[in-house]
Protein backbone atom coordinates (compact mmCIF):
# COMPACT_ATOMS: atom_id res chain seq x y z
CA UNK A 1 0.00 0.00 0.00
CA UNK A 2 1.31 3.44 -0.88
CA UNK A 3 2.23 5.63 2.05
CA UNK A 4 -0.32 8.36 2.73
CA UNK A 5 1.37 11.68 3.32
CA UNK A 6 -0.39 14.62 4.90
CA UNK A 7 0.92 18.16 4.65
CA UNK A 8 -1.57 19.16 7.31
CA UNK A 9 -5.14 19.51 8.50
CA UNK A 10 -7.49 22.45 8.95
CA UNK A 11 -10.14 22.90 11.61
CA UNK A 12 -12.42 25.84 12.22
CA UNK A 13 -9.75 27.67 14.25
CA UNK A 14 -6.51 25.78 13.67
CA UNK A 15 -4.01 24.95 10.96
CA UNK A 16 -2.05 21.78 11.65
CA UNK A 17 0.83 22.13 9.22
CA UNK A 18 4.34 21.12 8.26
CA UNK A 19 7.13 22.54 10.37
CA UNK A 20 9.10 25.64 9.37
CA UNK A 21 12.54 26.84 10.43
CA UNK A 22 10.84 29.79 12.12
CA UNK A 23 8.98 27.42 14.47
CA UNK A 24 12.12 26.36 16.27
CA UNK A 25 12.59 29.47 18.39
CA UNK A 26 9.04 29.55 19.84
CA UNK A 27 9.25 25.75 20.22
CA UNK A 28 12.36 26.17 22.37
CA UNK A 29 10.54 28.75 24.51
CA UNK A 30 7.61 26.35 24.92
CA UNK A 31 9.88 23.45 25.89
CA UNK A 32 11.72 25.57 28.47
CA UNK A 33 8.47 26.40 30.33
CA UNK A 34 8.20 24.72 33.76
CA UNK A 35 4.39 24.77 33.50
CA UNK A 36 4.31 23.18 30.03
CA UNK A 37 6.89 20.57 31.05
CA UNK A 38 5.46 19.93 34.53
CA UNK A 39 4.60 16.31 33.74
CA UNK A 40 7.86 15.55 31.90
CA UNK A 41 11.22 14.71 33.47
CA UNK A 42 12.72 18.16 32.82
CA UNK A 43 12.48 21.30 30.75
CA UNK A 44 14.50 21.28 27.54
CA UNK A 45 17.50 23.31 26.50
CA UNK A 46 17.35 24.99 23.07
CA UNK A 47 19.58 22.24 21.69
CA UNK A 48 17.32 19.51 23.09
CA UNK A 49 14.27 21.28 21.67
CA UNK A 50 15.89 21.48 18.22
CA UNK A 51 16.74 17.79 18.44
CA UNK A 52 13.10 16.98 19.16
CA UNK A 53 11.96 19.12 16.21
CA UNK A 54 14.40 17.25 13.97
CA UNK A 55 13.02 13.90 15.19
CA UNK A 56 9.46 15.10 14.55
CA UNK A 57 10.37 16.08 10.97
CA UNK A 58 12.10 12.73 10.42
CA UNK A 59 8.97 10.94 11.65
CA UNK A 60 6.98 12.58 8.83
CA UNK A 61 9.55 11.36 6.32
CA UNK A 62 9.40 7.82 7.67
CA UNK A 63 5.66 7.42 8.30
CA UNK A 64 3.94 10.10 6.21
CA UNK A 65 2.25 11.55 9.27
CA UNK A 66 3.37 12.95 12.60
CA UNK A 67 3.11 15.79 15.09
CA UNK A 68 2.05 18.83 13.09
CA UNK A 69 2.98 22.37 14.04
CA UNK A 70 -0.11 24.16 15.38
CA UNK A 71 -0.85 27.56 13.87
CA UNK A 72 -3.80 29.63 15.08
CA UNK A 73 -4.51 31.96 12.15
CA UNK A 74 -4.85 35.63 13.14
CA UNK A 75 -3.68 34.72 16.66
CA UNK A 76 -0.20 33.16 16.58
CA UNK A 77 1.95 31.49 13.87
CA UNK A 78 3.14 28.71 16.22
CA UNK A 79 1.36 27.51 19.36
CA UNK A 80 2.88 24.05 19.76
CA UNK A 81 2.39 20.61 18.22
CA UNK A 82 -0.45 18.14 17.87
CA UNK A 83 -0.85 14.93 15.95
CA UNK A 84 0.12 11.30 15.65
CA UNK A 85 3.35 9.52 16.53
CA UNK A 86 4.74 5.99 16.62
CA UNK A 87 6.38 5.52 20.06
CA UNK A 88 10.05 4.60 20.08
CA UNK A 89 9.83 2.47 23.23
CA UNK A 90 8.39 -1.03 23.74
CA UNK A 91 5.49 -1.76 26.07
CA UNK A 92 2.55 -4.15 26.30
CA UNK A 93 0.53 -1.98 23.87
CA UNK A 94 3.20 -1.38 21.21
CA UNK A 95 3.49 -1.22 18.25
CA UNK A 96 0.83 1.47 18.14
CA UNK A 97 0.09 5.03 17.10
CA UNK A 98 -0.15 7.64 19.82
CA UNK A 99 -2.17 10.84 19.63
CA UNK A 100 -0.52 13.70 21.47
CA UNK A 101 -0.28 17.46 21.91
CA UNK A 102 1.84 20.14 23.55
CA UNK A 103 0.68 23.74 23.46
CA UNK A 104 2.16 26.90 24.92
CA UNK A 105 0.45 28.01 28.12
CA UNK A 106 -1.32 31.10 26.67
CA UNK A 107 -3.34 28.75 24.44
CA UNK A 108 -4.57 26.46 27.21
CA UNK A 109 -8.21 26.47 28.17
CA UNK A 110 -9.58 27.46 24.75
CA UNK A 111 -10.46 23.98 23.48
CA UNK A 112 -7.65 24.02 20.93
CA UNK A 113 -6.18 20.67 21.99
CA UNK A 114 -9.56 18.93 21.80
CA UNK A 115 -10.38 20.55 18.46
CA UNK A 116 -7.06 19.59 16.92
CA UNK A 117 -6.99 16.12 18.45
CA UNK A 118 -10.46 15.39 17.07
CA UNK A 119 -9.22 16.30 13.57
CA UNK A 120 -6.11 14.14 14.02
CA UNK A 121 -8.21 11.19 15.19
CA UNK A 122 -10.55 11.58 12.22
CA UNK A 123 -7.53 11.55 9.91
CA UNK A 124 -6.14 8.46 11.67
CA UNK A 125 -9.34 6.45 11.28
CA UNK A 126 -10.81 7.81 8.05
CA UNK A 127 -7.66 8.33 5.96
CA UNK A 128 -4.95 6.13 7.51
CA UNK A 129 -7.50 3.41 8.35
CA UNK A 130 -5.92 2.77 11.74
CA UNK A 131 -7.78 0.47 14.08
CA UNK A 132 -6.82 2.19 17.32
CA UNK A 133 -5.11 5.22 18.83
CA UNK A 134 -3.59 5.45 22.28
CA UNK A 135 -2.69 8.38 24.50
CA UNK A 136 -0.49 8.25 27.56
CA UNK A 137 0.52 10.53 30.39
CA UNK A 138 1.18 10.52 34.12
CA UNK A 139 -1.87 10.05 36.38
CA UNK A 140 -1.60 13.62 37.71
CA UNK A 141 -1.90 15.28 34.29
CA UNK A 142 -5.58 16.14 34.67
CA UNK A 143 -5.56 18.66 31.83
CA UNK A 144 -4.43 16.18 29.17
CA UNK A 145 -6.60 13.41 30.58
CA UNK A 146 -9.61 15.68 30.23
CA UNK A 147 -8.84 16.11 26.51
CA UNK A 148 -8.58 12.32 26.19
CA UNK A 149 -12.00 11.95 27.83
CA UNK A 150 -13.52 14.60 25.54
CA UNK A 151 -12.28 12.58 22.56
CA UNK A 152 -14.13 9.56 23.91
CA UNK A 153 -10.99 7.67 24.90
CA UNK A 154 -11.34 5.01 27.58
CA UNK A 155 -9.01 4.09 30.43
CA UNK A 156 -8.57 0.73 32.12
CA UNK A 157 -6.31 0.49 35.20
CA UNK A 158 -5.10 -2.82 33.78
CA UNK A 159 -3.41 -0.83 30.98
CA UNK A 160 -1.38 1.39 33.34
CA UNK A 161 2.35 0.83 32.96
CA UNK A 162 5.83 1.88 34.01
CA UNK A 163 7.41 3.95 31.24
CA UNK A 164 10.54 2.06 30.12
CA UNK A 165 12.39 5.28 29.26
CA UNK A 166 12.39 6.37 32.91
CA UNK A 167 14.40 4.73 35.71
CA UNK A 168 12.85 2.69 38.50
CA UNK A 169 11.76 4.99 41.29
CA UNK A 170 11.38 8.08 39.07
CA UNK A 171 8.40 10.18 40.18
CA UNK A 172 6.96 10.15 36.62
CA UNK A 173 7.58 6.51 35.73
CA UNK A 174 3.99 5.33 36.26
CA UNK A 175 1.77 6.16 33.28
CA UNK A 176 -1.88 5.75 32.39
CA UNK A 177 -2.96 4.60 28.95
CA UNK A 178 -6.14 5.73 27.20
CA UNK A 179 -7.48 4.01 24.07
CA UNK A 180 -9.73 5.03 21.20
CA UNK A 181 -10.93 2.49 18.63
CA UNK A 182 -11.94 3.11 15.05
CA UNK A 183 -15.56 2.41 15.99
CA UNK A 184 -15.47 5.95 17.45
CA UNK A 185 -15.31 7.45 13.93
CA UNK A 186 -19.06 8.23 13.66
CA UNK A 187 -18.99 9.83 17.12
CA UNK A 188 -16.00 11.97 16.15
CA UNK A 189 -17.71 13.07 12.94
CA UNK A 190 -20.90 13.94 14.84
CA UNK A 191 -18.98 15.81 17.54
CA UNK A 192 -17.12 17.84 14.92
CA UNK A 193 -20.36 18.78 13.17
CA UNK A 194 -22.15 19.63 16.40
CA UNK A 195 -19.34 21.82 17.73
CA UNK A 196 -18.44 23.48 14.45
CA UNK A 197 -14.93 22.20 15.09
Amino acid sequence: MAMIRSAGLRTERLLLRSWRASDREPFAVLNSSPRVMEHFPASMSPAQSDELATRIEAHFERHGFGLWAVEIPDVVPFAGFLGLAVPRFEAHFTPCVEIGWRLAEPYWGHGYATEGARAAALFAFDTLRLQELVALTVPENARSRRVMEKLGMTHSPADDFDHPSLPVGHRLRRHVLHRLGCEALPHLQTARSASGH
Side-chain angles (χ1 to χ4, degrees):
M1 186 178 74
M3 182 184 295
I4 297 173
R5 294 193 176 274
S6 173
L9 304 172
R10 290 200 80 106
T11 71
E12 183 184 16
R13 299 181 296 169
L14 305 176
L15 175 60
L16 309 183
R17 57 164 175 77
S18 300
W19 287 67
R20 303 169 181 154
S22 58
D23 297 331
R24 295 210 171 200
E25 185 175 347
F27 191 44
V29 173
L30 181 158
N31 287 323
S32 70
S33 165
R35 280 293 304 277
V36 172
M37 302 301 288
E38 177 183 5
H39 301 296
F40 292 87
S43 299
M44 291 184 173
S45 68
Q48 290 170 325
S49 180
D50 280 350
E51 183 181 328
L52 175 56
T54 298
R55 288 203 307 270
I56 289 172
E57 291 175 327
H59 187 286
F60 277 100
E61 287 299 314
R62 181 174 181 183
H63 298 285
F65 62 85
L67 297 167
W68 292 282
V70 177
E71 180 176 336
I72 310 175
D74 302 320
V75 176
V76 68
F78 179 85
F81 68 62
L82 192 153
L84 309 169
V86 177
R88 299 189 299 163
F89 61 86
E90 292 185 5
H92 73 272
F93 53 88
T94 61
C96 64
V97 175
E98 176 188 359
I99 187 168
W101 47 84
R102 185 180 302 172
L103 299 180
E105 190 176 353
Y107 312 106
W108 295 359
H110 299 281
Y112 292 136
T114 302
E115 179 177 334
R118 188 175 289 132
L122 282 166
F123 175 79
F125 295 138
D126 197 27
T127 302
L128 298 180
R129 303 295 183 184
L130 298 181
Q131 295 301 300
E132 183 182 63
L133 292 172
V134 303
L136 51 107
T137 189
V138 295
E140 298 78 17
N141 191 351
R143 189 178 297 275
S144 270
R145 295 187 72 178
R146 180 68 182 134
V147 174
M148 296 170 196
E149 290 166 6
K150 287 180 178 178
L151 286 177
M153 304 190 91
T154 58
H155 167 246
S156 169
D159 266 337
D160 294 352
F161 68 104
D162 292 331
H163 201 298
S165 300
L166 296 171
V168 174
H170 193 285
R171 66 181 179 87
L172 298 177
R173 190 163 197 247
R174 194 64 178 168
H175 272 57
V176 294
L177 184 81
H178 291 242
R179 296 179 184 265
L180 186 68
C182 60
E183 67 276 4
L185 181 58
H187 165 75
L188 290 165
Q189 291 168 329
T190 302
R192 178 178 62 178
S193 298
S195 67
H197 49 262

